[in-house]
Amino acid sequence: MACVRWNDVLGVNDYRGKHGSLPNIMLFVLGGIGRLDLLAGIKMTRILCQFSCGAASAVATKLAIAQNAEKLPLLVLNAYIENEHPDNRRFANDCERWFGVPLTVLRDERYSADIIKVFRQRGYMKGPRGAPCTTNLKRNLLKTIAHP
């Protein structure tokens, strides 16, 4: 499974239950290929894969599904962005069939999934911590489903 941002997965305290277990593992599918067995010894109740509609993300998600082999419930998540190319939806539909797992598409309501609205309301396009559209339309949205 792709999990190239281990600090986002294992270093965030609010992902941990009161006994130190991780009820979920949010696997950021950013194109790097990692292995689920590296998380051995950590009690998980489900796996969340972030699918970005990119080719590397598709392959990494497919590998995660294969490695999981239905051992744990697995959700494939996608944050819908209004301004992305329409071909992303076609590719997402193709990948959903290829994965054999339904794709859960999340859509931001505050900004209507529109990056221009984020830029106008936040007043900038990119800052020292990245683009506000990534934080507001993807990361914050995906965090809402991270806890069971």
Side-chain angles (χ1 to χ4, degrees):
M1 172 50 207
C3 189
V4 294
R5 294 177 60 188
W6 292 104
N7 59 331
D8 285 344
V9 175
L10 300 175
V12 179
N13 289 332
D14 64 348
Y15 280 52
R16 297 184 182 278
K18 60 183 177 179
H19 302 294
S21 66
L22 293 168
N24 302 293
I25 292 291
M26 174 70 84
L27 296 172
F28 292 86
V29 181
L30 301 173
I33 305 300
R35 297 183 353 221
L36 287 176
D37 61 339
L38 295 176
L39 300 173
I42 297 173
K43 182 180 176 185
M44 297 182 290
T45 59
R46 66 181 180 164
I47 296 173
L48 307 176
C49 297
Q50 179 183 336
F51 170 64
S52 70
C53 289
S57 178
V59 171
T61 299
K62 183 69 171 178
L63 291 172
I65 293 166
Q67 284 187 15
N68 181 47
E70 299 182 11
K71 295 174 193 159
L72 292 171
L74 182 140
L75 288 175
V76 179
L77 307 173
N78 173 256
Y80 175 81
I81 304 296
E82 185 69 36
N83 313 85
E84 287 183 335
H85 194 280
D87 194 50
N88 279 6
R89 293 297 107 203
R90 180 209 52 83
F91 185 66
N93 290 332
D94 290 349
C95 286
E96 184 175 31
R97 285 189 298 277
W98 183 49
F99 298 155
V101 173
L103 187 64
T104 302
V105 179
L106 306 173
R107 184 184 173 116
D108 169 77
E109 294 179 2
R110 180 176 180 188
Y111 298 102
S112 304
D114 187 341
I115 63 170
I116 304 303
K117 287 184 180 180
V118 174
F119 296 153
R120 287 188 177 142
Q121 288 184 21
R122 298 299 304 270
Y124 67 99
M125 292 178 72
K126 180 154 175 33
R129 295 185 179 169
C133 59
T134 300
T135 301
N136 290 281
L137 301 182
K138 292 183 179 181
R139 290 187 186 132
N140 291 345
L141 186 63
L142 292 165
K143 282 181 186 177
T144 63
I145 200 168
H147 297 284

